[in-house]
Amino acid sequence: MSAIQTAQLMDGTGLAKRVVEEAAARAGEISRRAGTSPCLATVLVGEDPASVTYVRMKRARSAKAGIRSRQIGLPATTTTAELVDSLTALSDDPDVHGILLQHPCGPHIDERAAFEAIAPEKDVDGVTMRSFAAMSFGLPGFVSCTPGGIMRLLDAYDVDLAGKHAVVVGRSAILGKPAGMLLLAEDATVTYCHSRTADLPGIVREADVVVAAVGRPRLIRGEDIKPGAVVIDAGYNRGNVGDVDFDTAVTRARLITPVPGGVGPMTIAVLLAQTVEAAANQLGIPHR
């Protein structure tokens, strides 16, 4: 009896390390030529424990990449208008090159209004409507970090997307929707699915590439993965569980991202790389 085939794991941790090393080298060049290092401002409303931990981790990673951090902590009672004022001030500050608004900000905040207060040239998290439009039209700008990390992973593992059927499960403005646009730009045929999609398992079975980004643990079952498909699990749920039932999917997929260690590290790596790129653009330092 032959052994069960298992998918090759897509190592996001290793790739992220290389991306950050490249960003650090570029940050060092910027510092030498401009006399200042790239600066990322992080805005946090309230003291949600998960958000506080995430921001602390980003600051540590930034330091390793030669990026200065500026942290702006606002009380949980902050209004939308006050948050917009803070983000506008950072957008106008020439010493700040990238802005990250840690979300969710709380149910009383109009997050879209807050995002739109970030200047496009400093939108290193790719959350504004201008960034989404630029990405969709293939124009210069910053991509949403998680979809950007997914595309770098696919490229690193030589996944040819042209003509392939990619199914994106999830339609959030900063993950599902932009992921589909980036896949489309690489000539994939894209199907978006969501919580109201009829016969989701049937659609997933037709996919050459599956991007799970819906935030529901083990929603995508292994038996619904097309043999030889590429599976990108962008979900992260309590207990280090993704949106894909990894244990069953790994026996059918050709390539699959683990959770953790797949998409997550790439998200932060792209954020840092785009912060360095933003600084270079604003300081007028082209690549040599």
Side-chain angles (χ1 to χ4, degrees):
M1 186 174 178
S2 61
I4 296 174
Q5 290 292 110
T6 58
Q8 179 183 1
L9 298 186
M10 302 175 79
D11 180 12
T13 300
L15 179 58
K17 184 174 183 290
R18 295 193 294 274
V19 170
V20 173
E21 286 172 351
E22 291 172 3
R26 178 71 165 139
E29 179 190 6
I30 291 170
S31 181
R32 288 189 297 272
R33 296 176 64 181
T36 187
S37 54
C39 177
L40 173 65
T42 304
V43 180
L44 176 63
V45 178
E47 296 183 356
D48 175 74
S51 293
V52 170
T53 299
Y54 199 45
V55 167
R56 187 184 303 119
M57 180 175 63
K58 287 176 179 175
R59 291 185 68 186
R61 299 279 176 86
S62 295
K64 289 183 178 180
I67 297 171
R68 290 180 292 127
S69 293
R70 184 187 298 184
Q71 184 170 343
I72 294 85
L74 301 175
T77 55
T78 298
T79 65
T80 297
E82 290 168 338
L83 178 56
V84 165
D85 286 345
S86 294
L87 292 166
T88 300
L90 292 171
S91 292
D92 293 338
D93 186 343
D95 190 49
V96 171
H97 306 114
I99 301 171
L100 169 71
L101 172 60
Q102 184 64 39
H103 51 90
C105 300
H108 65 294
I109 294 287
D110 181 346
E111 285 193 358
R112 179 46 50 196
F115 286 146
E116 297 311 315
I118 300 173
E121 66 272 16
K122 298 186 181 184
D123 179 25
V124 293
D125 203 21
V127 295
T128 65
M129 289 189 287
R130 276 193 175 184
S131 293
F132 183 84
M135 180 193 61
S136 299
F137 283 100
L139 299 174
F142 297 115
V143 300
S144 299
C145 290
T146 300
I150 288 170
M151 298 308 293
R152 291 193 187 215
L153 269 170
L154 291 169
D155 181 64
Y157 283 85
D158 297 320
V159 177
D160 181 8
L161 294 166
K164 300 297 191 299
H165 184 196
V167 171
V168 179
V169 186
R171 53 178 171 175
S172 72
I174 58 173
L175 211 177
K177 287 180 180 176
M181 290 292 102
L182 292 173
L183 290 163
L184 188 64
E186 294 297 322
D187 297 323
T189 299
V190 178
T191 299
Y192 284 102
C193 296
H194 46 80
S195 60
R196 297 193 178 186
T197 297
D199 190 21
L200 175 61
I203 297 173
V204 170
R205 287 185 203 114
E206 299 174 355
D208 302 303
V209 178
V210 178
V211 177
V214 73
R216 292 179 60 182
R218 299 189 180 97
L219 176 68
I220 308 300
R221 301 174 305 183
E223 59 262 34
D224 296 327
I225 299 297
K226 179 180 179 180
V230 176
V231 178
I232 304 292
D233 191 347
Y236 187 78
N237 306 285
R238 189 182 298 275
N240 287 342
V241 175
D243 289 354
V244 175
D245 185 358
F246 180 87
D247 290 343
T248 56
V250 75
T251 66
R252 293 174 66 88
R254 177 172 67 88
L255 292 165
I256 189 169
T257 58
V259 177
V263 173
M266 290 302 301
T267 299
I268 296 179
V270 170
L271 172 71
L272 300 180
Q274 293 194 151
T275 298
V276 172
E277 182 183 348
N281 292 341
Q282 292 163 49
L283 294 168
I285 300 177
H287 276 289
R288 284 178 173 172

